[in-house]
C-alpha cells in the first residue's frame, strides 16, 4: 500500500512537472487565426491612453470587443500594461514569443532588431484615413532613409512641458503667474517659506524620466540657460552635432537646479517618480508648481479641483523666459508610434482595423465605450458629444488611435477631460512659446549609431546619471569640466561623429 | 556491472522515481538553457526565429571585448563584488548569530513566536518589499525621514543618495532573508548532544565558551556546506531587489552585472547577444567562486559539496 501511494505521488509530481512544461509551450505559441473563425489580433496598448490603474467593467470591455468584431470582423484582444515600465514589460513579452500584433514604441530601436515590419503597402491598400490624419512631418519621423514607413505616428512637434503654477497661491502672495526665471524663483521662495499646504508642501514637482521621453526639468527650464534648449545642436565652430549637455550654459542650468534643490524647492524624489505618484501628488493639492509632461496636470485637474474647488494651475502663455530666452523646449516629432510586430500574421488587418478607428464615430466608441453608456452625441454631424455621469467603468482600452488628430476630431463637455481637451485643441501645437528641436526631422538610425559609437549606452548612462548627481549635490559642480572629460573618455567623439554624419546626410548640408 | 546497476535501480525504483521530477527540472531549466550561451558569440535579437539565430554569423569574442572595454566595466564589476561580499557577510553570519540566540531561549512558546516572526519576511515578494521600503523612505510622510527630522536631522531621500543606498538595500535584503536562512542552523543545533552542555556547565564553562567550544564546532559541517552553497548563488541573488529600488543617481554604487544585463537586453538598445555575453561572464565568475571555496573547504579538512 505504501509502495502504491509512493508510486502515485511520484507520478503526480512528474505529471505536474510535464504539465508545467507543456503549458509553457502552448502559451508561447502564435495562435492568431482559427480555421474558419475571425482573424485574431492582439494589441499591447502602451500608447499612453490608459491612465487608470483600476480595472474596467468586463461587460463594457466585452461590448466594445463585440462591436469591433461585428463592424470589422476582427477579434481584438487588448493587453493593458501592468508595470510602470511598460517598455520593458513589452520587450519581455516580445522576446518571450507572445503574440502581439500591435504595440507602441520607438521604431528606430525595434526596426534595428527586426521586431517590426514596414507598413507602406498596408497603408496604401487599407490606410487612407490614417495617412490623411497626420501631417507630413509626423510621417517623416516614422520613415527611414529608404522611404520605408515603420509605423503610424503618435505625435507631432508639440509644446508639452509648460511650467504649471498654482494660480490661487500666486493670488495669495500677490504675484502674477511667473514669466521669467527670476519671478519664478521668487515664487518658489515664497511657497517654501509660507508652506500654503502645510509641512508637506512641494514648491516644485519635476520629473526626469517622464511620459513620451520627456525630462521635466530639462524640457521646462534648459532653454532659459542655453541657446537651443533640450536638443542636439550644431556647434558652428567645429561644424559638429553635439548633445544638449555640451551647450554653453548647461552648467548654469545645473547650478540653478542644484541651488533650488539645496533650498528644498525641488521634490527630492524627482529622479524616482512614476506617473501615478506624480498625479496623486498633484491631486492632493500640495504641489506649488510642476515641470512635468502636460497631461499629468491636465488629466489630474478634474480630481484636483473636486478636492480644491477654488484652486487652479496655469502657466505663462507667452512662455517662461530666462537669460538665454524661452525656457521650454518642444517635444520633437517623435519616432515613437504604433508599430506592427514582425510576428504579426495579418498586418493588413491591423492597418484596416486602425483605419476603421480613424473615424470620429468609431473613435468615440473605442475611446469612451458604447454610445449611451458614458456619452452620447449632441451633434453627431459636427462630432460634438456630451458625457453621461462620470466615466468609471471603462478606461479607454480599445482606443488605438491616440494622438492629436483624433483627439481634436471630436469635442465635448466631459468635465473629467475638459482641461486636457482645451490644452490639446488650443495650446498643444503653439510652438511660439517654446524652443523647437534643432534637428527636428532627422532620424538617427540606432543601428548606425551603435556601429559608429559602440559605447552609446555608456554615454546615455553618464549623461543621465551625472546630471542628476550634480542637481542633488552628490557630485560637486566644480567637477563639471571633469565630467566633460569623462564623456569624451567614454566615446563622446564617436557619438558626435556619427550623429554629425547622419545629420548632414539627411539635411544635405 | 551493468546488470548490477540495473538491479540496484530496480531495487530502489521508488527512490529513483522520486528523483525523476527533480532531475527533469535540472535538465530542462538548468542544463538545456546552457546551449543558449551560443548567442554570446553571435549578433542576434530576441525577435529572430530560432533558425535565424542558429544560422547567423559568428562574431567571436566581440561582445566580451566591448564589455571589457566599456567605460562602466570596472564600476559594474566592483559593485557586484562589493555587494556580493556584503551580502555574504550579512546573510551568512547573521543567520548563525540569530540561530545561536534562538538556541539560548528556554521558553518553547517564545522561541516559536520569535522564529515565526523572523521567518515571515522571507515570504514577502520582492515587489512588496520594494513597496515597503519606498513607503518607509518617502520624504512625503515616510516614517524614516519623519524620525530623522524629529531627531533634528535632515529629511533626505535615502534611495537616491549614493552614500546611503547600499545600506538601505542590504538592510532590506537582510530583514527578508536572515530568519529563513537561520533554519538550517537551528535544526543543526537541535541535534547537538545536551550532555555536552551539561558536562561543560559542571566544569564551569561560560555561555560564550559553550558556544565556541561546543555549539559552533558541532554545526561546522552545516556552516561549511551553507557557505559553499551561498557562494554558489551569491552572484545570482539580490538583483531583483536592486532593480526595484535603484535609479540613475545611485547607479554608481548599485549597478551590478545582473542589472546591467537586464538593461542591456530589455531596455533601450536591446543588445541581446551582448547581454548574453555579460551573463556568461558572470556565470564563469560564479563557477570559479564555488570551485575555489570547495577546494578551500577540502584543504581545511571540512566537508565539501562532494564528500
Amino acid at each position: 500500500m505504501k509502495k502504491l501511494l509512493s508510486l502515485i505521488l511520484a507520478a503526480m509530481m512528474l505529471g505536474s512537472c510535464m504539465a508545467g512544461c507543456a503549458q509553457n509551450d502552448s502559451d508561447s505559441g502564435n495562435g492568431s487565426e482559427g480555421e474558419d473563425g475571425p482573424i485574431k489580433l492582439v494589441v499591447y496598448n502602451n500608447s499612453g491612453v490608459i491612465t487608470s490603474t483600476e480595472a474596467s467593467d468586463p461587460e463594457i470591455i466585452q461590448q466594445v470587443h463585440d462591436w469591433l468584431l461585428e463592424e470589422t470582423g476582427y477579434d481584438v484582444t487588448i493587453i493593458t500594461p501592468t508595470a510602470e515600465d511598460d517598455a520593458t514589460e513589452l520587450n519581455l513579452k516580445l522576446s518571450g514569443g507572445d503574440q502581439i500584433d500591435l504595440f507602441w514604441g520607438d521604431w528606430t530601436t525595434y526596426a534595428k532588431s527586426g521586431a517590426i515590419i514596414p507598413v507602406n503597402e498596408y497603408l496604401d491598400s487599407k490606410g487612407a484615413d490614417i495617412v490623411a490624419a497626420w501631417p507630413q512631418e509626423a510621417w517623416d519621423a516614422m520613415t527611414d532613409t529608404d522611404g520605408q514607413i515603420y509605423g503610424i505616428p503618435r505625435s507631432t512637434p508639440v509644446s508639452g512641458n509648460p511650467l504649471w503654477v498654482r494660480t490661487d497661491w500666486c493670488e495669495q502672495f500677490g504675484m502674477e503667474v511667473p514669466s521669467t526665471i527670476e519671478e519664478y524663483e521668487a515664487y518658489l521662495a515664497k511657497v517654501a517659506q509660507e508652506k500654503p499646504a502645510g509641512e508637506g508642501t512641494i514648491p516644485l514637482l519635476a520629473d526626469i524620466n517622464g511620459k513620451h521621453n520627456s525630462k521635466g526639468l530639462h524640457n521646462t527650464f534648459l532653454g532659459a540657460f542655453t541657446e537651443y534648449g533640450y536638443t542636439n545642436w550644431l556647434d558652428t565652430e567645429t561644424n559638429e552635432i553635439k548633445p544638449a549637455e555640451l551647450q554653453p550654459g548647461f552648467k548654469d542650468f545645473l547650478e540653478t537646479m542644484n541651488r533650488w534643490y539645496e533650498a528644498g524647492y525641488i521634490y527630492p524624489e524627482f529622479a524616482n517618480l512614476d506617473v501615478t505618484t506624480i498625479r496623486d501628488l498633484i491631486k492632493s493639492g500640495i504641489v506649488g508648481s510642476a515641470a512635468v509632461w502636460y497631461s499629468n496636470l491636465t488629466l489630474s485637474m478634474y480630481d484636483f479641483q473636486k478636492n480644491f474647488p477654488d484652486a487652479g494651475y496655469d502657466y505663462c502663455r507667452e512662455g517662461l523666459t530666462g537669460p538665454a530666452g524661452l525656457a521650454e523646449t518642444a517635444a520633437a516629432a517623435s519616432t515613437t508610434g504604433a508599430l506592427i510586430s514582425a510576428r504579426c500574421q495579418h498586418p493588413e488587418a491591423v492597418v484596416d482595423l486602425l483605419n476603421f478607428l480613424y473615424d470620429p464615430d468609431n473613435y468615440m466608441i473605442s475611446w469612451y465605450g458604447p454610445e449611451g453608456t458614458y456619452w452620447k452625441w449632441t451633434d453627431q454631424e459636427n462630432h460634438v458629444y456630451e458625457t453621461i455621469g462620470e466615466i468609471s467603468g471603462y478606461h479607454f482600452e480599445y482606443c488605438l488611435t491616440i494622438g492629436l488628430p483624433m483627439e481634436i476630431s471630436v469635442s465635448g463637455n466631459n468635465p473629467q477631460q475638459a482641461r486636457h481637451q482645451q490644452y490639446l485643441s488650443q495650446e498643444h501645437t503653439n510652438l511660439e512659446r517654446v524652443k523647437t528641436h534643432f534637428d527636428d526631422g532627422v532620424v538617427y538610425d540606432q543601428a548606425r549609431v551603435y556601429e559608429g559609437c559602440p559605447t552609446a549606452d555608456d554615454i546615455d548612462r553618464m549623461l543621465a546619471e551625472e546630471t542628476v548627481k550634480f542637481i542633488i549635490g552628490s557630485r560637486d559642480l566644480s567637477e563639471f569640466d571633469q565630467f566633460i572629460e569623462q564623456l569624451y573618455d567614454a566615446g563622446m567623439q564617436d557619438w558626435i561623429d556619427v550623429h554629425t554624419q547622419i545629420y548632414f546626410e539627411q539635411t544635405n548640408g | 556491472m551493468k546488470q548490477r546497476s540495473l538491479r540496484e535501480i530496480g531495487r530502489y525504483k521508488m527512490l529513483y522515481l522520486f528523483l525523476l521530477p527533480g532531475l527533469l527540472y535540472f535538465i530542462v531549466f538548468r542544463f538545456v538553457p546552457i546551449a543558449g550561451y551560443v548567442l554570446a558569440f553571435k549578433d542576434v535579437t530576441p525577435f529572430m526565429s530560432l533558425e535565424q539565430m542558429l544560422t547567423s554569423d559568428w562574431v567571436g569574442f566581440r561582445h566580451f571585448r566591448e564589455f571589457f572595454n566599456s567605460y562602466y566595466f570596472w564600476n559594474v564589476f566592483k559593485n557586484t563584488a562589493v555587494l556580493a561580499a556584503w551580502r555574504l557577510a550579512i546573510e551568512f553570519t547573521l543567520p548563525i548569530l540569530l540561530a545561536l540566540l534562538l538556541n539560548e531561549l528556554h521558553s518553547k512558546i517564545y522561541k516559536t513566536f520569535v522564529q515565526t516572526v523572523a521567518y515571515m519576511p522571507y515570504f514577502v515578494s520582492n515587489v512588496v518589499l520594494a513597496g515597503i521600503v519606498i513607503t518607509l523612505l518617502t520624504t512625503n510622510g515616510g516614517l524614516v525621514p519623519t524620525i530623522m527630522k524629529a531627531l533634528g536631522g535632515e529629511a533626505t531621500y535615502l534611495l537616491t543618495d549614493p552614500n546611503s543606498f547600499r545600506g538601505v538595500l542590504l538592510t532590506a535584503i537582510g530583514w527578508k532573508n536572515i530568519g529563513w536562512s537561520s533554519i538550517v542552523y537551528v535544526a543543526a543545533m537541535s541535534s547537538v548532544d545536551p550532555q555536552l552542555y551539561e558536562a561543560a556547565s559542571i566544569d564551569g564553562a561560560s555561555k560564550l565558551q559553550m558556544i565556541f567550544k561546543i555549539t559552533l564546532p558541532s554545526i561546522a559541517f552545516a556552516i561549511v556546506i551553507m557557505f559553499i552553497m551561498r557562494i554558489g548563488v551569491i552572484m545570482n541573488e539580490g538583483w531583483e531587489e536592486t532593480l526595484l529600488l535603484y535609479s540613475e543617481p545611485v547607479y554608481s554604487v548599485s549597478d551590478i552585472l545582473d542589472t546591467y544585463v537586464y538593461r542591456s537586453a530589455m531596455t533601450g538598445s536591446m543588445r541581446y547577444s551582448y547581454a548574453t555575453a555579460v551573463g556568461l561572464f558572470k556565470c564563469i565568475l560564479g563557477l570559479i567562486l564555488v570551485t575555489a571555496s570547495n577546494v578551500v573547504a577540502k584543504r581545511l579538512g571540512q566537508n565539501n559539496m562532494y564528500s
Side-chain angles (χ1 to χ4, degrees):
Chain A
M1 188 62 191
K2 261 187 184 174
K3 274 190 174 180
L4 183 67
L5 201 65
S6 307
L7 193 66
I8 291 169
L9 197 61
M12 279 172 68
M13 284 170 71
L14 185 62
S16 62
C17 182
M18 301 297 279
C21 297
Q23 180 67 44
N24 205 30
D25 285 347
S26 65
D27 282 353
S28 64
N30 186 342
S32 67
E33 190 177 14
E35 279 295 311
D36 301 305
I39 290 174
K40 292 184 177 177
L41 300 174
V42 179
V43 179
Y44 183 79
N45 194 347
N46 60 328
S47 64
V49 69
I50 304 170
T51 53
S52 175
T53 51
E54 290 169 23
S56 289
D57 183 343
E59 202 177 311
I60 297 174
I61 293 282
Q62 190 63 44
Q63 284 172 13
V64 182
H65 168 273
D66 293 348
W67 163 75
L68 264 183
L69 182 63
E70 195 180 317
E71 294 291 326
T72 65
Y74 303 129
D75 181 355
V76 184
T77 302
I78 304 290
I79 301 174
T80 54
T82 53
E84 274 291 341
D85 186 4
D86 54 57
T88 308
E89 185 183 55
L90 169 69
N91 292 342
L92 283 166
K93 284 182 182 295
L94 288 173
S95 56
D98 288 13
Q99 186 199 342
I100 291 176
D101 297 298
L102 179 72
F103 60 92
W104 280 257
D106 184 335
W107 73 262
T108 61
T109 301
Y110 289 101
K112 177 197 70 155
S113 52
I116 56 170
I117 52 169
V119 293
N120 302 52
E121 64 173 290
Y122 312 115
L123 286 172
D124 290 344
S125 60
K126 297 283 184 184
D129 292 340
I130 305 172
V131 173
W134 289 94
Q136 189 55 44
E137 67 225 38
W139 288 111
D140 290 345
M142 300 301 292
T143 308
D144 73 3
T145 47
D146 297 328
Q148 302 274 31
I149 302 170
Y150 273 98
I152 291 148
R154 172 69 178 82
S155 66
T156 52
V158 287
S159 312
N161 290 87
L163 174 66
W164 299 88
V165 178
R166 280 283 290 264
T167 48
D168 52 320
W169 290 4
C170 282
E171 208 173 303
Q172 187 181 325
F173 304 146
M175 299 170 114
E176 296 289 319
V177 171
S179 61
T180 65
I181 290 289
E182 289 75 22
E183 286 174 19
Y184 177 57
E185 194 162 348
Y187 170 81
L188 286 174
K190 202 77 181 163
V191 173
Q193 186 191 336
E194 301 283 329
K195 293 186 172 56
E199 272 306 309
T201 302
I202 299 170
L204 169 57
L205 178 70
D207 64 17
I208 206 136
N209 287 311
K211 284 186 78 175
H212 308 303
N213 299 322
S214 118
K215 283 192 167 203
L217 280 180
H218 294 61
N219 280 95
T220 307
F221 298 115
L222 184 56
F225 304 91
T226 61
E227 185 180 350
Y228 298 97
Y230 190 46
T231 166
N232 294 332
W233 59 290
L234 182 68
D235 185 339
T236 47
E237 281 183 23
T238 57
N239 212 29
E240 290 174 324
I241 289 292
K242 293 181 176 176
E245 289 81 354
L246 296 188
Q247 279 181 92
F250 189 76
K251 190 179 174 187
D252 299 334
F253 161 74
L254 290 178
E255 269 169 358
T256 304
M257 294 304 119
N258 174 247
R259 189 171 70 246
W260 291 358
Y261 185 88
E262 297 291 342
Y265 300 162
I266 300 178
Y267 188 51
E269 296 167 36
F270 74 95
N272 227 2
L273 287 175
D274 56 54
V275 171
T276 311
T277 309
I278 289 171
R279 294 183 182 187
D280 285 347
L281 288 170
I282 290 166
K283 289 172 193 173
S284 69
I286 59 174
V287 175
S289 59
V292 294
W293 185 247
Y294 79 98
S295 63
N296 289 317
L297 241 300
T298 54
L299 289 172
S300 303
M301 202 64 90
Y302 176 74
D303 289 326
F304 166 68
Q305 290 192 317
K306 248 193 339 187
N307 298 333
F308 307 95
D310 299 327
Y313 280 99
D314 206 351
Y315 60 91
C316 175
R317 299 307 172 98
E318 290 77 37
L320 185 73
T321 56
L326 290 166
E328 184 186 345
T329 310
S334 175
T335 49
T336 294
L339 314 177
I340 297 179
S341 160
R343 289 203 178 106
C344 175
Q345 292 182 2
H346 304 284
E348 199 171 48
V350 174
V351 174
D352 190 31
L353 168 74
L354 291 175
N355 200 65
F356 172 77
L357 295 173
Y358 266 82
D359 171 283
D361 291 305
N362 301 329
Y363 166 71
M364 274 307 295
I365 298 174
S366 72
W367 191 28
Y368 278 6
E371 186 180 358
T373 307
Y374 291 119
W375 69 280
K376 64 180 181 189
W377 291 118
T378 51
D379 178 359
Q380 188 164 7
E381 201 176 321
N382 292 310
H383 301 120
V384 181
Y385 67 89
E386 71 176 23
T387 50
I388 305 167
E390 203 168 274
I391 301 172
S392 55
Y394 181 68
H395 301 301
F396 326 129
E397 281 85 347
Y398 278 89
C399 183
L400 311 180
T401 51
I402 185 79
L404 197 59
M406 291 316 294
E407 288 182 72
I408 59 173
S409 70
V410 293
S411 58
N413 71 336
N414 178 7
Q416 285 170 277
Q417 297 218 337
R419 186 66 187 92
H420 187 65
Q421 290 303 315
Q422 186 193 344
Y423 188 90
L424 283 173
S425 58
Q426 297 167 24
E427 301 156 49
H428 205 21
T429 51
N430 173 15
L431 298 177
E432 285 178 11
R433 66 160 206 264
V434 298
K435 286 178 173 165
T436 52
H437 274 243
F438 177 81
D439 54 355
D440 233 344
V442 177
V443 175
Y444 297 103
D445 179 350
Q446 291 301 300
R448 277 191 66 188
V449 169
Y450 279 101
E451 198 180 311
C453 179
T455 56
D457 281 345
D458 288 347
I459 292 169
D460 282 348
R461 173 182 157 175
M462 195 178 290
L463 290 172
E465 181 181 347
E466 301 306 319
T467 300
V468 179
K469 283 161 95 173
F470 282 126
I471 293 172
I472 65 176
S474 63
R475 186 168 187 185
D476 197 272
L477 267 161
S478 60
E479 294 180 19
F480 185 79
D481 293 340
Q482 197 185 328
F483 160 60
I484 300 297
E485 278 172 31
Q486 282 171 339
L487 279 171
Y488 279 93
D489 288 346
M492 177 54 84
Q493 193 55 52
D494 291 337
W495 188 100
I496 290 170
D497 291 343
V498 70
H499 280 78
T500 303
Q501 200 180 353
I502 295 172
Y503 173 82
F504 282 119
E505 277 172 14
Q506 291 184 33
T507 55
N508 303 314
Chain B
M1 183 67 186
K2 197 178 171 186
Q3 267 189 342
R4 198 178 149 197
S5 299
L6 287 173
R7 230 184 3 256
E8 285 288 299
I9 290 174
R11 192 175 161 197
Y12 297 110
K13 58 180 177 295
M14 284 301 157
L15 296 179
Y16 279 103
L17 211 52
F18 272 116
L19 180 69
L20 202 56
L23 204 60
L24 272 176
Y25 166 81
F26 276 99
I27 290 170
V28 173
F29 295 110
R30 297 290 176 181
F31 290 106
V32 173
I34 289 174
Y37 281 123
V38 75
L39 302 185
F41 304 96
K42 289 173 168 273
D43 200 1
V44 301
T45 72
F47 312 110
M48 288 179 170
S49 66
L50 187 61
E51 191 188 343
Q52 284 173 315
M53 286 186 183
L54 293 175
T55 55
S56 64
D57 292 338
W58 296 95
V59 298
F61 287 89
R62 192 183 89 195
H63 300 303
F64 292 89
R65 277 197 302 274
E66 280 182 13
F67 177 54
F68 297 143
N69 291 330
S70 157
Y71 187 84
Y72 287 106
F73 170 74
W74 284 111
N75 175 252
V76 172
F77 186 79
K78 184 184 148 199
N79 287 337
T80 308
V82 169
L83 279 171
W86 271 110
R87 291 195 58 230
L88 186 66
I90 290 170
E91 291 184 65
F92 175 66
T93 54
L94 292 188
I96 298 172
L97 190 65
L98 178 65
L100 288 169
L101 294 172
L102 286 170
N103 198 43
E104 295 303 318
L105 290 176
H106 295 298
S107 163
K108 203 173 175 186
I109 294 172
Y110 185 58
K111 184 177 177 180
T112 309
F113 173 74
V114 173
Q115 274 180 296
T116 309
V117 170
Y119 298 163
M120 270 198 291
Y122 182 75
F123 300 101
V124 172
S125 81
N126 285 327
V127 175
V128 174
L129 177 75
I132 292 170
V133 172
I134 291 167
T135 307
L136 284 172
L137 298 183
T138 179
T139 51
N140 185 30
L143 186 65
V144 175
T146 306
I147 292 172
M148 285 161 73
K149 218 170 176 180
L151 294 174
E154 205 179 324
T156 53
Y157 188 50
L158 299 178
L159 280 178
T160 52
D161 181 356
N163 296 319
S164 56
F165 181 81
R166 281 181 185 165
V168 171
L169 180 70
L170 291 165
T171 305
I173 292 174
W175 175 75
K176 185 171 186 275
N177 293 335
I178 285 168
W180 184 255
S181 304
S182 68
I183 288 179
V184 173
Y185 305 114
V186 172
M189 285 173 197
S190 66
S191 66
V192 179
D193 188 351
Q195 290 184 50
L196 292 173
Y197 293 112
E198 285 166 20
S201 179
I202 291 165
D203 290 342
S206 68
K207 282 279 179 204
L208 271 181
Q209 281 172 320
M210 280 194 261
I211 286 170
F212 284 106
K213 301 288 182 186
I214 300 172
T215 313
L216 288 177
S218 301
I219 64 164
F221 69 98
I223 293 174
V224 172
I225 291 292
M226 290 306 289
F227 180 76
I228 296 171
M229 287 175 71
R230 185 125 293 281
I231 289 274
V233 298
I234 202 76
M235 303 293 286
N236 285 335
E237 290 188 341
W239 79 278
E240 286 171 351
E241 294 92 328
T242 309
L243 186 76
L244 289 162
L245 291 171
Y246 81 160
S247 57
E248 284 155 357
V250 291
Y251 276 176
S252 58
V253 294
S254 63
D255 195 19
I256 55 177
L257 283 166
D258 277 317
T259 51
Y260 187 84
V261 167
Y262 183 82
R263 281 207 317 279
S264 300
M266 291 301 163
T267 64
S269 53
M270 288 188 287
R271 303 172 74 192
Y272 208 53
S273 284
Y274 178 76
T276 308
V278 180
L280 179 56
F281 170 71
K282 189 203 75 171
C283 288
I284 292 167
L285 281 183
L287 184 67
I288 292 169
L289 282 174
V290 173
T291 310
S293 53
N294 205 38
V295 168
V296 170
K298 202 172 177 181
R299 293 260 166 92
L300 292 174
Q302 293 290 349
N303 287 348
N304 60 57
M305 293 293 283
Y306 310 109
S307 60

